[in-house]
Amino acid sequence: AEARAEALVEGQAIGESRGVAIGEVRILRSNVGELLRHRFGALSPEHEARLQSASFDTLQGWFKGALTAPSIDAALQELLEAK
């Protein structure tokens, strides 16, 4: 019974950690998309799809790149090359 309780606590901690990670990715994805659209206008469907499938690390790189990109072409090129 004790081992089962420990496994349950461990499983809950893992589930909570995964939920937090998923939430962080969703927030970052939303922020990157908002930044890109604010700075450069609407994204193409291809770039929207890439944005939706990007990993946390990729999204972090895109966010930093979008802050300083001189044009939408430069920002979108970053999106294409980062994938």
Side-chain angles (χ1 to χ4, degrees), residues 23-72:
E24 288 175 348
V25 169
R26 285 181 180 163
I27 290 167
L28 183 55
R29 180 174 290 123
S30 175
N31 289 341
V32 170
E34 186 174 332
L35 174 61
L36 289 169
R37 285 185 285 279
H38 177 75
R39 289 209 59 215
F40 307 116
L43 301 177
S44 70
E46 178 185 355
H47 289 107
E48 287 286 355
R50 288 180 181 272
L51 184 63
Q52 293 307 313
S53 65
S55 70
F56 185 82
D57 291 337
T58 299
L59 289 166
Q60 283 184 314
W62 290 353
F63 186 84
K64 291 174 187 173
L67 289 171
T68 58
S71 69
I72 190 168

